Amino acid sequence: MSKRHFIELADMIRENREHFNQEAIDALAKWLKGQNPAFMPGRWFDYIDGKCGPNGGAIKSKGRDYIAA
């Protein structure tokens, strides 16, 4: 599986969070790690929880964060 697949799966979990308990998400993360050793479960959990963007970085703001001079 590729990074794109991991992001799509996380998006599906985020959109349907009420159907997934933490035990199921943990088991899925363990399986994903077996599919791709480069998989980073902590970053994936943070994205599902809305703590970071899909690449692990800051969440992009909807508007400008500064005032142009």
Side-chain angles (χ1 to χ4, degrees), residues 2 10 12-14 16 26 30 32 36 39 43 45 49 52-53 55 58 60-61 66-67:
S2 70
M12 190 266 311
I13 293 170
R14 287 174 63 156
N16 299 286
D26 291 343
K30 184 177 179 180
L32 292 172
N36 184 338
F39 174 68
R43 184 181 289 179
F45 292 137
D49 292 337
C52 68
N55 293 319
K60 293 181 182 178
S61 63
Y66 63 92
I67 298 173

Side-chain angles (χ1 to χ4, degrees), residues 6-25:
F6 296 143
I7 292 170
E8 288 177 10
L9 183 56
D11 286 338
M12 190 266 311
I13 293 170
R14 287 174 63 156
E15 293 170 9
N16 299 286
R17 183 70 168 139
E18 67 276 4
H19 299 291
F20 295 90
N21 62 33
Q22 192 60 47
E23 185 178 330
I25 295 170

Side-chain angles (χ1 to χ4, degrees), residues 5-6 32 35 46 59 68:
H5 294 113
F6 296 143
L32 292 172
Q35 299 300 304
D46 285 348
I59 299 171

